[in-house]
Amino acid sequence: MASFFAFVTIISLAFTIAKAQSNVTRGSSLNPTGPNTSWLSPSGLYAFGFYPQTHGYAVGIFIAGISETTVVWTARDALPLSDNATLRFTSEGRLTVEQTQGQQINLFDTGGASFASMQDSGNFVLYDSTGRTILWQSFDNPTETLLAGQRLLPGQNLFSSVSETDQSIGVFQLIMQTDGNLVLYPSMIFQGSAYWYTETFKNGPNVTLNLDSSGFLYLLQNSSFYIKNLTERGYPTKDAIYRLKLDVDGILRLYHHDLSNKSKNGTVKWESSTNKCAGKGFCGVNGYCVVMNDAATCQCITGFEFVDVKRQTLGCWRTYTVESCKIPDAETAIQMTNLNNVRLDEATYAISKAPTQKECSSACLNDCNCEAALFTEQQCRLQRLPLRYMEVSESVPSAVLIKVYTSSVRNGSNPTNQSIQVKKMRQKRIMVIGVSLISFAVLILLISGVIMYRAQVWAYKKINDNLGVQLLEGIRPQAFSYAALEKITDGFKEELGRGTFGIVYKGFIESSMRHVAVKKLKEELAQEGEREFQTEMQVIGRTHHRNLTRLLGYCCEGSERLLVFEYMTQGSLADVLFGLKESKPKPCWMERIRMAVDIAHGILYLHEECENPIIHCDIKPQNILMDEHGGAKISDFGMAKLLGHDQTRTTTLLRGTRGYIAPEWHKRQPVTVKADVYSFGIVLFNILCCRRNVDNSLPDSEAILEDWVHDCYEADEVLKLVDYDEDVEKKRLEEMVKIGLWCVQEEPSLRPSMKMVMLMLEGTVKVPEPPNPTSFISVV
Ligand SMILES: *[C@@H]1O[C@H](CO)[C@@H](O)[C@H](O)[C@H]1NC(C)=O
Ligand SMILES: *[C@@H]1O[C@H](CO)[C@@H](O)[C@H](O)[C@H]1NC(C)=O
Ligand SMILES: *[C@@H]1O[C@H](CO)[C@@H](O)[C@H](O)[C@H]1NC(C)=O
Ligand SMILES: *[C@@H]1O[C@H](CO)[C@@H](O)[C@H](O)[C@H]1NC(C)=O
Ligand SMILES: *[C@@H]1O[C@H](CO)[C@@H](O)[C@H](O)[C@H]1NC(C)=O
Ligand SMILES: *[C@@H]1O[C@H](CO)[C@@H](O)[C@H](O)[C@H]1NC(C)=O
Ligand SMILES: *[C@@H]1O[C@H](CO)[C@@H](O)[C@H](O)[C@H]1NC(C)=O
Ligand SMILES: *[C@@H]1O[C@H](CO)[C@@H](O)[C@H](O)[C@H]1NC(C)=O
Ligand SMILES: *[C@@H]1O[C@H](CO)[C@@H](O)[C@H](O)[C@H]1NC(C)=O
Ligand SMILES: *[C@@H]1O[C@H](CO)[C@@H](O)[C@H](O)[C@H]1NC(C)=O
């Protein structure tokens, strides 16, 4: 006990200014730079208040008597805080953090707490006036640590932090599942399977994780029934504290602090894995974990570098890439390098019969879709990027072969000596094969196109005799005669809109009492118009989805090219959002969210549910039409790209509309479905804020929507983005903004897939903290 008093003395010496106090009364406040930065527990062991982070400050609970800042709880909603922040226990009994501009973040917002107390157990408690009823306590809301006496209840989780000095939510979580299993899961954005669990999954919904003051860690079914003891019996010692923490590297560790020792640094008594790289997905995509200096460290595979050197867990991207591996390029060499003893999350699109590693390399080199190959005993699994959950371990017999582009072969930037150098001749041969394959495919397409066209002309000839056109719903698009369309549109009288390629007119088909929209492609754009006509026919003719406009018919007579669509009564999303239809009020928050979900559904269908993936290439509010029920449908497929069966990217000239086009278009890099994800991100911002991308009538700082959204998000002022009188929940809006910011990442591989966007919009998947979209300078 003497030593404990000695310890308390040390603390009192170190904290002469902030005196230990037992009860925090209403009206008390703290500042990160003021004389009082925290409230101490009676013995001075724990403190509640401000502590420094990489950027600014955080509010939370830390062990005050230890030289290294040991945080046990953080107010993650209030991160990061500036010098000017104030933590207040208000006169109404609320606990708030106030930033300079008078915005408040409520840690406990119901109010009515009489006093607060930082207890020696490490629990911060708010009491009502009787002092017996607990209104709020930090023990009920764990972040990444459990202290002695605290329990993790069914359904509760711990989230790891980004780093020791940034307590924002990191990439791992521990869940006390309601099936009784205690499980560690990897990163939220790249959902994956568990990497550690207690195998107690048949014990029903009442199992809790408990830690007692002697470091005994166990799962309880009820007050008397032990399910599993994680530490055998605990480590009864005097003057010690124990804490269980989900560390940054994804390992769950039980720390012991000997308070009688001068060095009170924590020692690990128990850990979920002794392998520091066991945290699945710690290094993000295209990266892998190695233990260096006794710590988990990230490395990128050959030919890749960190997306952000300061946040290596974000993963890696290529240092050098080519527009297309099929286009001859004297400056570029393609090689295969290998990384042995690797396991990875398999997402193979083809298995090649290659008995040797060398043949596996060739198989990948000869395939433009292949970016890497997993070679196991006589099986060669071709992979696209990104490579996920790479794990390097002596015991794994497989190797990963990675395609590396280098700007010059002759300089011998030879990453490993097993790498296979590709001779120029060979490369040319591959290209010749590639090009002839493409030509062949194009030829086949042309022939089938001609056959289809013939059939259509024939069908149209039959219809031509009868001007009273009948619409056959639910069947393939029909052929119309020009005369019929002229009649339907009353001589192209009422114009609905104009696009790059043509004008849209309103029409009415009497026999089926139905309004239609007729798009007349400009004749002077004969060649391009023809291409657009064909694309639209091909793409939309084969799609059928609630959130895509239907192509009902077409006309191709002489040089005339017309398309007939279902008519959407409410105009385009642009009309609805930007108030072009004066009479109508702007849609409310819930309606807007529904629109976003509708559009996401439509794009998801194009990307993943069609026979062949389709990149729309021109997602913007003008191309999204609204039906009378407020449903949104994607239209205008004139720009769309149809991808081959196992093609993932394409190179074309710049298409799409400025402001909505992904940065890779400008850089002439290959374009993937992620280009649509980018455009969707911008449209999502349009929807959230009901305004255009660029509005020069606003102050400079707000003129460019994307930048303004990001600034508001960074400054934790998202509510500025919506009308002040709108009934919007800040949390929900923030989630939406985060999804948008993920979508508009400069680096396409960082953008989530449409499926992931869907899951995040629905709230099925928690949205992680997005990096700054433009902070990464492009490496190409
Ligand atoms: C804290 O306040 C409560 C209620 O006023 C009182 O009962 C308790 O004794 C106080 N504790 C200390 C250590 O002052
Ligand atoms: C700091 O705390 C002490 C003791 O609790 C109190 O007397 C003092 O008024 C506080 N100072 C400020 C500036 O709040
Ligand atoms: C305790 O931790 C501090 C800070 O991390 C470190 O500087 C110090 O060397 C450690 N002491 C011992 C004995 O490990
Ligand atoms: C803090 O307050 C000072 C003056 O009140 C102001 O100049 C400064 O910009 C503020 N800092 C932040 C980060 O808000
Ligand atoms: C779980 O707890 C609830 C409420 O205490 C109880 O009704 C139920 O029987 C318990 N289930 C099991 C499997 O122990
Ligand atoms: C605790 O659970 C066990 C096993 O389910 C059961 O046999 C026992 O009666 C329970 N005890 C109490 C107090 O609920
Ligand atoms: C777990 O520990 C408790 C308390 O020490 C003991 O009663 C129980 O038998 C232990 N269970 C197992 C499976 O070791
Ligand atoms: C105090 O801690 C240090 C380092 O953790 C250890 O080497 C030493 O044996 C401890 N001393 C006592 C008396 O436990
Ligand atoms: C080879 O690399 C050196 C510098 O490392 C550079 O100066 C030289 O131009 C390169 N040669 C070729 C052919 O690219
Ligand atoms: C790799 O290269 C180094 C030197 O460049 C050489 O010593 C080593 O034997 C080579 N290893 C193999 C497997 O070829």
Side-chain angles (χ1 to χ4, degrees), residues 281-299:
F282 176 59
C283 293
V285 296
N286 306 326
Y288 60 97
C289 174
V290 290
V291 178
M292 261 162 65
N293 299 327
D294 210 25
T297 317
C298 290
Q299 284 186 354

Side-chain angles (χ1 to χ4, degrees), residues 16-69:
T16 42
I17 302 165
K19 265 195 226 117
Q21 62 177 83
S22 320
N23 281 343
V24 180
T25 51
R26 283 182 175 186
S28 307
S29 66
L30 300 172
N31 293 94
T33 51
N36 296 343
T37 63
S38 62
W39 295 311
L40 291 176
S41 67
S43 71
L45 187 55
Y46 287 97
F48 182 91
F50 290 95
Y51 58 85
Q53 294 270 282
T54 320
H55 304 290
Y57 293 87
V59 162
I61 301 169
F62 52 95
I63 309 180
I66 295 179
S67 53
E68 53 184 337
T69 309

Side-chain angles (χ1 to χ4, degrees), residues 691 693-695 699-709:
R691 57 157 279 198
N693 289 355
V694 180
D695 187 343
D700 274 355
S701 61
E702 296 180 19
I704 297 177
L705 179 60
E706 194 184 337
D707 295 345
W708 186 48
V709 169

Side-chain angles (χ1 to χ4, degrees), residues 682-702:
I682 303 285
V683 172
L684 182 59
F685 292 155
N686 291 142
I687 293 175
L688 295 179
C689 309
C690 281
R691 57 157 279 198
R692 293 167 186 283
N693 289 355
V694 180
D695 187 343
N696 287 321
S697 68
L698 292 168
D700 274 355
S701 61
E702 296 180 19

